[in-house]
Amino acid sequence: MLLKGKNAIVTGCARGIGKCIVEVFAKNGANIWACCRKQTDDLEKYLDELAKESNVSITPVYFDLADNEQIKAGIKTIMASKQQVDILVNNAGVTYNALFQMTSMSKMREIFEVNFFAQMLLTQYVIKLMIKSKGGSIVNISSTAALDGNSGRSLYGASKAALICTTKALAEELAEYNIRANAIAPGITQTDMVASSMTDAVIEDTIRQSNMKRMGQPIEIANVAMFLASDMSSYITGQVIRVDGGL
Amino acid sequence: MDGSDGNMLLNGKNAIVTGCLRGIGRATMELFARNGANIWACCQNQDEEFERDIRELSKEIGVAIVPVYFDLADNEQLKAGLRTIAASKQKIDVLVNVAGMTHNALFHMTSMEKMKYVFEIDFFSQIQVTQYITKIMAKQKSGNVINISSIAGMDGNPGQIAYSSCKAALIGATKTLAAELAPYNIRVNAIAPGVIETNMTSDLPQEAFSRLMSKSCIKRKGVTDEVANVLLFLASDLSSYVTGQVIRVDGGIG
């Protein structure tokens, strides 16, 4: 029970890595605000069952990262609970694949809005709460695309690289308040996002380049997020951990 | 396995930890044992107090902790120690290469003899242990190796030419081995501790300490448990998709 009694905000919880993070965090004793874009009965039922089974509280919060007003409203409901926030996992985001010369400026702004500015807005609000309670751990989900640069992923990679830079700066700015900030750079992970955005040939090629010769599972990313969120990593801040099977 | 079963992250695994007498090795041995691992606790010299401590620890927790003695400077001793481990015919799940030495001297004040000696202890002996043990792991088709590098091996550190070069060499070995040994289901990672509260860092010149602290986000030394926890993470299946990585445990120096 590595997160017993801690309160965590996790974004992008409807599926993939985010859904898995909620599961691992709940099973390890964390109470969770599970942020998703859209309300669905299936999701609410799932979160409800998970909460009961794990004996924690899981509160769904709905907002669209493309809509600042919705983000603000969502965070207000979290603030209204007057609970301490110990952990923020910025997981939500979108992928985008196109060659640089085929990427319009409007698309650039749209992707940065969702993958970067929205995370910044949310982080700014949450940090205020963490500073008041003099402690916290922020985990940003970046990507190996941010570190390596991949053909066709200039925009996605740049938005994730911006997140890394912010992670490092926040680690410095917030250490005096006992807030740690780290990032994870997943490689190719078995999620809908990867399946829907990458061709089989690209997926196979990436797997071939990796040491482990397989895709990662969402649980393998979620376990690293738990490590960074927990006190196991109390002397780690400003770092980016590649979870990529050795790319 | 996700840590929800009472934090026993290494339940039933068998681990070799070198440098167990004190500091990071000692903390790692204790934390691994408390997480359910059986341990070959390697130290340089036999020590009665140490043997009594591990007997008590092993009784309290219900795991096996077997002391193994060898001096990293002595190849024959090292091989003999490894042979006793191999002779047990037990599965070896984890190898943590903690043992090593530090050496503080400016480049022009470091004799080639000293340079070679530091490499013998901090690099070749680790490689020799790893070669021997990963042969066994390859046969098992599973394993996990963790090397202790240093931020000095990544950033350089004035006054630590021999030590920092060894630690950089270990990083190169870690990344190469991660690629070579992945087909055998062996993961290889390293950690790079910053300034940790141990005997080894107690002789760090005040000026060097102040310089490092001024760069650090957290502005304090780390404690050995904080390093041991990262080793536990890497040794456990929590990090099953992490290989060939170097994790800085430095309070945010770099």
Side-chain angles (χ1 to χ4, degrees):
Chain A
M1 298 286 264
L2 295 172
L3 302 176
K4 197 163 175 58
K6 300 213 184 215
N7 300 326
I9 300 173
V10 182
T11 69
C13 293
R15 51 177 183 258
I17 292 171
K19 190 174 181 182
C20 223
I21 290 174
V22 171
E23 193 184 327
V24 171
F25 278 28
K27 285 185 176 165
N28 275 278
N31 301 306
I32 300 161
W33 289 281
C35 307
C36 308
R37 184 153 53 111
K38 275 191 199 143
Q39 180 165 11
T40 70
D41 289 346
D42 279 357
L43 180 69
E44 295 219 340
K45 190 165 160 248
Y46 167 76
L47 294 175
D48 202 39
E49 280 169 10
L50 178 64
K52 273 188 199 133
E53 188 189 306
S54 314
N55 202 21
V56 296
S57 112
I58 304 179
T59 312
V61 182
Y62 299 102
F63 54 81
D64 185 340
L65 289 179
D67 182 333
N68 274 357
E69 293 312 312
Q70 276 191 34
I71 296 176
K72 284 182 200 164
I75 192 80
K76 269 182 202 143
T77 66
I78 295 174
M79 286 166 94
S81 75
K82 306 271 180 207
Q83 300 285 309
Q84 180 171 317
V85 180
D86 303 294
I87 298 159
L88 167 64
V89 185
N90 281 313
N91 166 70
V94 293
T95 186
Y96 185 74
N97 290 308
L99 290 173
F100 180 62
Q101 290 291 48
M102 305 295 281
T103 308
S104 68
M105 281 312 295
S106 66
K107 201 69 193 176
M108 297 240 187
R109 294 203 165 91
E110 183 192 320
I111 299 293
F112 261 83
E113 193 59 52
V114 175
N115 278 3
F116 183 68
F117 294 116
Q119 328 278 340
M120 293 305 102
L121 179 64
L122 186 61
T123 304
Q124 254 176 1
Y125 272 104
V126 173
I127 283 169
K128 278 183 200 159
L129 300 176
M130 287 179 170
I131 286 175
K132 267 189 207 154
S133 56
K134 288 239 175 258
S137 176
I138 299 167
V139 183
N140 290 322
I141 307 296
S142 178
S143 166
T144 52
L147 296 164
D148 303 341
N150 299 129
S151 162
R153 307 194 95 195
S154 54
L155 173 50
Y156 175 76
S159 70
K160 293 295 190 180
L163 212 49
I164 288 178
C165 183
T166 307
T167 303
K168 289 175 185 274
L170 288 183
E172 274 197 55
E173 287 188 19
L174 300 175
E176 63 179 297
Y177 305 105
N178 193 28
I179 299 170
R180 296 183 297 111
N182 292 287
I184 296 176
I188 196 156
T189 311
Q190 196 149 19
T191 60
D192 292 347
M193 198 191 212
V194 165
S196 65
S197 67
M198 295 170 89
T199 63
D200 287 351
V202 170
I203 292 174
E204 275 165 29
D205 192 44
T206 312
I207 290 173
R208 219 182 359 258
Q209 285 169 35
S210 80
N211 291 337
M212 288 195 180
K213 310 280 181 234
R214 65 172 175 87
M215 283 176 125
Q217 295 300 313
I219 179 97
E220 295 180 295
I221 313 297
N223 278 331
V224 181
M226 176 174 68
F227 164 70
L228 288 174
S230 79
D231 295 336
M232 277 182 92
S233 58
S234 56
Y235 202 52
I236 297 182
T237 193
Q239 300 307 308
V240 186
I241 299 189
R242 295 180 72 114
V243 189
D244 64 356
L247 277 179
Chain B
M1 203 283 302
D2 56 15
S4 56
D5 50 350
N7 283 6
M8 293 289 270
L9 293 174
L10 300 176
N11 217 352
K13 298 210 185 205
N14 301 325
I16 301 172
V17 182
T18 69
C20 284
L21 192 60
R22 48 179 180 257
I24 291 171
R26 178 68 175 250
T28 303
M29 175 191 79
E30 289 183 11
L31 184 66
F32 278 26
R34 291 190 191 284
N35 276 274
N38 302 305
I39 296 163
W40 288 282
C42 307
C43 305
Q44 191 179 347
N45 297 314
Q46 185 156 9
D47 183 297
E48 273 179 33
E49 198 183 327
F50 177 71
E51 294 212 350
R52 199 187 54 232
D53 288 352
I54 61 174
R55 263 199 309 275
E56 280 169 15
L57 185 65
S58 124
K59 212 161 122 191
E60 179 201 332
I61 303 166
V63 296
I65 307 178
V66 180
V68 181
Y69 299 104
F70 53 84
D71 184 342
L72 291 180
D74 182 333
N75 271 354
E76 292 312 309
Q77 269 192 36
L78 195 152
K79 282 184 209 156
L82 295 173
R83 271 198 295 270
T84 65
I85 295 174
S88 75
K89 305 273 181 208
Q90 300 284 309
K91 188 164 184 254
I92 303 170
D93 300 294
V94 181
L95 165 64
V96 190
N97 285 311
V98 181
M101 63 177 286
T102 185
H103 183 253
N104 295 319
L106 291 171
F107 180 51
H108 283 285
M109 305 295 280
T110 308
S111 67
M112 281 313 294
E113 192 188 3
K114 192 73 191 178
M115 194 80 130
K116 283 177 181 162
Y117 181 73
V118 176
F119 259 85
E120 192 59 45
I121 305 294
D122 277 351
F123 183 68
F124 293 115
S125 71
Q126 328 275 337
I127 295 301
Q128 194 177 2
V129 172
T130 304
Q131 225 171 27
Y132 194 98
I133 298 302
T134 54
K135 270 183 201 158
I136 299 173
M137 288 176 169
K139 271 188 205 150
Q140 297 167 177
K141 292 232 172 280
S142 73
N144 188 334
V145 179
I146 310 165
N147 292 318
I148 314 294
S149 179
S150 163
I151 56 165
M154 305 181 87
D155 307 340
N157 195 23
Q160 290 197 316
I161 182 70
Y163 178 75
S164 66
S165 305
C166 287
K167 294 300 188 182
L170 268 183
I171 291 177
T174 300
K175 288 175 186 273
T176 300
L177 291 181
E180 284 193 18
L181 300 176
Y184 305 101
N185 192 27
I186 299 170
R187 295 190 290 117
V188 187
N189 291 288
I191 64 165
V195 185
I196 309 298
E197 194 112 43
T198 62
N199 288 347
M200 212 159 136
T201 60
S202 61
D203 62 346
L204 194 68
Q206 184 58 39
E207 186 202 329
F209 177 71
S210 306
R211 181 168 37 79
L212 289 167
M213 280 306 117
S214 73
K215 285 196 230 163
S216 152
C217 295
I218 295 185
K219 307 270 181 235
R220 63 165 172 86
K221 281 186 178 182
V223 295
T224 51
D225 276 346
E226 293 180 300
V227 180
N229 269 315
V230 183
L231 294 170
L232 172 65
F233 162 71
L234 286 173
S236 77
D237 294 338
L238 284 177
S239 57
S240 55
Y241 201 50
V242 178
T243 195
Q245 301 306 308
V246 185
I247 299 187
R248 295 179 73 111
V249 190
D250 66 352
I253 286 176

